[in-house]
């Protein structure tokens, strides 16, 4: 009986063997760019993709808003773990560019002032793929890095027309190379050379569809990507079509689940085979179902603790999560959040009962604050609560800008809260589990300010940089205009004074001559 039970468990384990194979993923989301316009979605894209891949049995090396040195370390860590893996996977969301047919990923501290910067401030996709080819059976690359990149435009201007032709829009096609494994899958958010959309939600259209389909039971990766392509094409009203290049010798499943059939014939331990009674199969299936149920319960509990820590956004709560789950799904993100909070000033949480308009107005200045207290989630905003905040037109423009940075597009910030702004507020409130009233409370303003602290700071820095550049340009133009005017005045003065004739004397002589001629005519 024990031997038969072992045989049943063996067949159940065999059914989930793909999940137990060595799978390693590198997941990076860069959005808080320091020297160009920030992106609101990549951080969310990376966080959710990392969680999804961990649930599929991947060992994930994850990073958010990484500098050049951070990315190099992450790639090195990934390369060591990926050696000999069944599947090695790269997911990147953020700015990217192609130069001379090569695809480059852009860290958040990149300036890209000239061509030299490319070698010392960007990470080549080819470089990462070389780390994925060392005794790896299947390579998977997902690049959501085809966004409009201001750094690329700056580089093009400085390269000049003769060389800027090598700088293309979007990303360049990656050709699958034979590595001795079972093949590769390379997917872009849109077609090579095209620019992808950021979307209006918390995730880009491509990543949103990928997260939705990648864990579909018993669906091959080829089927998954077909569904992803269809979803993105529909969601973007046919403006964006993902590009996939797959070269696999067979179907690859990321969530293979064995079908349960009664009276299964299995091989016993030894050289003979025997039929397992239906009772043993049922008991084993029940035990497996109980284990799966407990796993789901553990996952829900971990996710609940993480959401609570993320909502409060305090060092203490992130440390509480890490204490309970030191190697948890969100452990890397918790450590990154602690590092972020310890690196800047963190203001104490606002007492909901004492949240005054003055405190709320102070938060609008961009100080990092703790997020919305949980009891306030059920308090709906009204026209009265929003009016009590005392926002002027400038403060309203800031709120609209911050809503845009969360991915809830409300249009050009103009300080007027029309239907599009109210719709954006409702979408943001819904995404954060708040009552979707379309009006703010003081605590909700604090939450929005905290969520967008890094992005808004980068946005303001970029605006100031552009203003300074424009001011410098106007100053140069004014100096040139003044110089030209002075030159013209000097030329005119020289012309009037030519031949040494005094202007007054010339007028006198002209009068005398005129009188003589007139007298002559009169006589």
């Amino acid at each position: 009986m024990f031997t038969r039970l072992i045989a049943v468990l063996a067949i159940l384990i065999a059914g989930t063997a793909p999940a137990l194979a060595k799978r390693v993923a590198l997941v990076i989301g860069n959005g808080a760019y320091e020297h160009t316009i920030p992106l609101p979605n990549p951080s969310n894209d990376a966080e959710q993709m990392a969680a999804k891949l961990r649930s599929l049995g991947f060992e994930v090396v994850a990073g958010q808003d990484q500098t050049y040195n951070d990315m190099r370390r992450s790639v090195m860590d990934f390369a060591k773990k990926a050696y000999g893996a069944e599947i090695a996977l790269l997911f990147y969301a953020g700015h990217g560019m192609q130069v001379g047919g090569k695809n480059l990923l852009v860290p958040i501290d990149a300036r890209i002032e000239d061509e030299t910067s490319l070698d010392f401030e960007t990470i080549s996709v080819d470089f990462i793929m070389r780390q994925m080819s060392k005794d790896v059976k299947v390579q998977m690359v997902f690049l959501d890095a085809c966004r409009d990149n201001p750094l690329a435009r700056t580089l093009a201007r400085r390269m000049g027309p003769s060389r800027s032709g090598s700088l293309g829009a979007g990303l360049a096609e990656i050709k699958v190379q034979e590595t001795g494994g079972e093949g590769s899958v390379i997917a872009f958010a849109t077609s090579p050379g095209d620019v992808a959309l950021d979307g209006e939600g918390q995730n880009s259209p491509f990543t949103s569809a990928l997260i939705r389909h990648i864990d579909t039971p018993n669906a091959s990766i080829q089927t998954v990507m077909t569904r992803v392509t269809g979803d993105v094409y529909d969601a973007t009203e046919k403006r964006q079509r993902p590009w996939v290049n797959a070269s696999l010798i067979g179907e690859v499943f990321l969530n293979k689940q064995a079908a349960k059939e009664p009276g299964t014939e299995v091989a016993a331990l030894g050289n003979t085979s025997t039929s397992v009674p239906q009772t043993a199969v049922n008991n084993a299936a029940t035990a497996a179902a109980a284990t799966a149920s407990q796993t789901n319960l553990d996952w829900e509990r971990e996710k609940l603790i993480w959401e609570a820590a993320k909502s409060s956004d305090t060092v203490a709560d992130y440390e509480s999560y890490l204490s309970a789950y030191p190697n948890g799904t969100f452990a890397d993100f918790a450590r990154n959040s602690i590092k972020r909070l310890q690196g800047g000033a963190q203001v104490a949480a606002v007492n909901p009962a004492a949240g005054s308009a003055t405190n709320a107005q102070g938060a609008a200045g961009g100080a990092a604050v703790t997020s919305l207290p949980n009891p306030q989630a059920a308090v709906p905003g009204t026209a009265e609560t929003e009016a009590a905040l005392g926002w002027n037109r400038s403060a309203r423009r800031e709120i609209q800008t911050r809503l845009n940075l969360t991915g809830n597009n409300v249009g050009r910030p103009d300080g007027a809260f029309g239907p599009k702004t109210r719709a954006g507020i409702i979408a943001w409130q819904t995404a954060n589990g708040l009552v979707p009233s379309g009006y703010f409370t003081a605590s909700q303003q604090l939450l929005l300010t905290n969520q967008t602290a890094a992005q808004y700071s980068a946005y303001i820095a970029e605006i100031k940089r552009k203003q300074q550049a424009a001011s410098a340009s106007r100053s140069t133009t004014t100096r040139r205009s003044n110089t030209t005017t002075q030159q013209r005045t000097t030329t005119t003065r020289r012309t009037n004074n030519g031949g040494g004739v005094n202007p007054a004397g010339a007028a006198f002589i002209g009068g005398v001559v005129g009188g003589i001629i007139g007298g002559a005519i009169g006589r």
Side-chain angles (χ1 to χ4, degrees), residues 304-341:
L304 181 61
I305 294 174
W306 166 248
E307 290 297 336
K310 187 177 177 183
S311 177
S312 68
D313 198 36
T314 62
V315 172
D317 285 346
Y318 285 126
E319 288 177 341
S320 295
Y321 168 82
L322 289 173
S323 177
Y325 302 97
N327 300 310
T329 301
F330 307 100
D332 290 337
F333 300 107
R335 295 186 183 96
N336 289 340
S337 297
I338 291 173
K339 182 179 178 181
R340 168 178 57 82
L341 291 172

Side-chain angles (χ1 to χ4, degrees), residues 46-406:
E47 179 179 321
Q48 295 184 31
M49 181 57 68
K52 182 70 70 172
L53 291 175
R54 286 192 178 100
S55 72
L56 290 172
F58 280 83
E59 181 179 1
V60 178
V61 177
Q64 290 173 285
D65 297 328
Q66 293 203 313
T67 64
Y68 176 81
N69 289 333
D70 292 336
M71 288 186 68
R72 294 282 296 189
R73 283 192 292 268
S74 294
V75 173
M76 182 176 67
D77 189 17
F78 168 67
K80 292 179 179 179
K81 296 178 185 296
Y83 188 87
E86 294 287 326
I87 299 176
L89 184 151
L90 165 65
F91 173 87
Y92 175 82
H95 276 316
M97 61 173 66
Q98 61 153 310
V99 180
K102 293 186 178 296
N103 295 313
L104 308 172
L105 307 183
V106 184
I108 64 169
D109 58 345
R111 293 179 181 271
I112 316 295
E113 295 178 340
D114 51 39
E115 293 176 77
T116 305
S117 304
L118 298 176
D119 290 331
F120 299 97
E121 296 183 15
T122 66
I123 304 293
S124 167
V125 174
D126 291 342
F127 168 70
I128 301 178
M129 290 189 67
R130 285 199 300 273
Q131 314 311 314
M132 302 169 61
S133 62
K134 299 172 182 177
D135 197 24
V136 174
K137 287 188 176 180
V138 177
Q139 299 171 307
M140 294 186 181
V141 177
F142 301 95
L143 297 178
D144 196 353
C146 313
R147 298 169 170 87
D148 184 29
N149 187 353
L151 291 174
R153 296 196 298 271
T154 300
L155 178 61
R157 289 194 297 269
R158 294 177 178 175
M159 289 173 70
S162 62
R163 300 195 311 279
S164 62
S166 64
L167 185 65
L171 296 180
E173 178 181 353
I174 298 177
K175 295 182 179 180
V176 175
Q177 297 181 355
E178 179 60 44
T179 61
E182 296 180 3
S184 303
V185 176
I186 300 171
F188 288 175
T190 191
S191 302
D194 288 345
V195 176
L197 303 174
D198 290 319
E200 299 183 357
Q202 290 190 335
N203 300 109
S204 73
F206 175 73
T207 299
S208 179
L210 186 59
I211 291 173
R212 183 162 54 250
H213 291 294
I214 197 170
D215 62 345
T216 302
N218 296 323
S220 67
I221 191 63
Q222 295 94 323
T223 300
V224 166
M225 294 314 301
T226 298
R227 295 174 181 176
V228 168
T229 300
D231 280 9
V232 174
Y233 193 60
D234 291 340
T236 60
E237 299 178 349
K238 302 181 180 181
R239 291 179 292 170
Q240 179 177 331
R241 182 197 296 270
W243 176 86
V244 181
N245 188 2
S247 177
L248 298 170
I249 63 176
E251 291 185 306
V252 176
F253 299 86
L254 296 183
N255 190 13
K256 183 71 173 177
Q257 296 184 0
K260 297 184 178 71
E261 298 181 1
T264 304
E265 294 287 332
V266 298
L269 299 180
N271 295 325
T272 60
S273 62
T274 182
S275 178
V276 179
Q278 183 63 37
T279 302
V281 174
N282 289 341
N283 290 341
T286 301
T291 301
S293 177
Q294 182 61 43
T295 300
N296 290 336
L297 182 61
D298 292 341
W299 161 245
E300 291 298 330
R301 183 181 294 112
E302 179 185 355
K303 187 166 66 171
L304 181 61
I305 294 174
W306 166 248
E307 290 297 336
K310 187 177 177 183
S311 177
S312 68
D313 198 36
T314 62
V315 172
D317 285 346
Y318 285 126
E319 288 177 341
S320 295
Y321 168 82
L322 289 173
S323 177
Y325 302 97
N327 300 310
T329 301
F330 307 100
D332 290 337
F333 300 107
R335 295 186 183 96
N336 289 340
S337 297
I338 291 173
K339 182 179 178 181
R340 168 178 57 82
L341 291 172
Q342 290 178 338
Q346 183 179 6
V347 181
V350 175
N351 184 345
S356 64
T358 301
N359 290 336
Q361 186 64 29
V369 296
T370 53
S371 58
L372 183 68
N374 288 335
Q376 286 294 89
V379 177
T382 64
E384 289 74 19
T385 63
E386 189 173 284
L389 299 176
W391 290 337
N392 56 22
R393 194 174 186 85
S394 177
R396 287 175 175 270
R397 283 197 296 268
E398 178 182 327
I399 292 297
Q400 289 173 319
T401 300
R402 290 181 183 274
L403 286 169
N404 283 338
L405 292 174
T406 64

Side-chain angles (χ1 to χ4, degrees), residues 357 379-391 396 417 422 425-426 429 435-442 444:
V379 177
T382 64
E384 289 74 19
T385 63
E386 189 173 284
L389 299 176
W391 290 337
R396 287 175 175 270
F417 281 19
R422 295 298 174 191
I425 295 172
I426 289 174
Q429 289 170 330
V435 178
S437 67
Y439 292 91
F440 273 93
T441 65
Q444 290 176 13

